[in-house]
Amino acid sequence: MKLINCAELSREQLLAVVAVIVVVAAGQSFMMKKLERQTAEITSVRREAAAGEAALEARSNALFQYKAAARIDKDELPSPVESQNRLYSALIGAFSARGLEGADIEKTAEADGIVSFRVSGNLPYASLLDVLSSFRQGPYLIKITDFSLDVGKNENVRFGFTVEAEVERGRKEEGNKQDEGR
């Protein structure tokens, strides 16, 4: 490489050298900014992909939970209740298994093979959700209606709902005969 003496260059040549240096520096600066933008875009796409994968995994896990809770993959649906006493026992069991004896359960109606109980009380919200989710896993096909929920004290909620269930045909008559025989 040959050294150039700046004193020997004419004014136009010096301006040309300075212009070339400025153009090269501007080009390098432009390329560096473009490279930084592309790197930022790649990073952003990676973050979006990771967030999408996490959301997909969470939804897949939730779907598996719902399928298990709804018994979609099982061969049989939950059965009707054998008798009104069995439903009453199942309701008491759902609350007492979780240490929640404070709920009031009373029979409200029985007609055309359908029995219903009114459940009310004052419980912590998380415990109420736990009890309600246990109904999905229960052995009986039930329907919850007339659900009400109010804010209580100390993170408790006042709740009330009606549980309706179909009593198996034939079992209802047997249960009534047993009740009459007593």
Side-chain angles (χ1 to χ4, degrees):
M1 190 170 193
K2 184 178 177 185
L3 293 177
I4 300 174
N5 188 357
C6 291
E8 296 176 358
L9 296 177
S10 66
R11 181 180 167 118
E12 291 83 24
Q13 288 175 334
L14 281 176
L15 288 176
V17 168
V18 170
V20 167
I21 292 173
V22 168
V23 168
V24 168
Q28 285 179 340
S29 175
F30 174 75
M31 292 303 285
M32 289 299 292
K33 287 182 182 179
K34 185 176 180 179
L35 184 61
E36 287 173 0
R37 280 193 306 265
Q38 287 178 345
T39 304
E41 286 177 20
I42 291 170
T43 304
S44 174
V45 168
R46 284 183 181 158
R47 285 184 190 145
E48 285 179 26
E53 287 175 5
L56 178 63
E57 184 176 341
R59 288 180 182 159
S60 296
N61 290 342
L63 178 63
F64 290 132
Q65 260 184 333
Y66 293 140
K67 283 177 72 174
R71 300 178 178 203
I72 290 174
D73 293 332
K74 303 222 177 180
D75 294 336
E76 60 185 49
L77 289 173
S79 64
V81 179
E82 293 91 1
S83 69
Q84 63 184 355
N85 292 339
R86 294 280 184 146
L87 178 59
Y88 184 74
S89 296
L91 291 173
I92 290 175
F95 282 92
S96 64
R98 289 157 184 80
L100 307 171
E101 286 81 15
D104 296 323
I105 303 170
E106 59 186 56
K107 182 178 169 185
T108 56
E110 180 180 9
D112 298 327
I114 303 287
V115 65
S116 63
F117 288 90
R118 181 74 183 161
V119 181
S120 60
N122 188 11
L123 294 174
Y125 182 68
S127 299
L128 177 62
L129 290 179
D130 189 35
V131 169
L132 291 173
S133 68
S134 74
F135 292 151
R136 292 189 316 214
Q137 298 292 331
Y140 302 122
L141 187 60
I142 64 170
K143 176 180 171 184
I144 296 176
T145 60
D146 302 325
F147 190 83
S148 64
L149 188 68
D150 293 318
V151 176
K153 295 179 181 176
N154 299 331
E155 297 182 14
N156 285 355
V157 292
R158 289 184 304 275
F159 67 92
F161 57 89
T162 302
V163 176
E164 295 179 0
E166 181 180 347
V167 178
E168 281 184 3
R169 307 268 187 234
R171 296 271 187 159
K172 180 181 174 191
E173 290 81 20
E174 290 175 18
N176 288 339
K177 288 179 186 175
Q178 288 176 356
D179 291 340
E180 290 171 3
R182 292 183 185 174

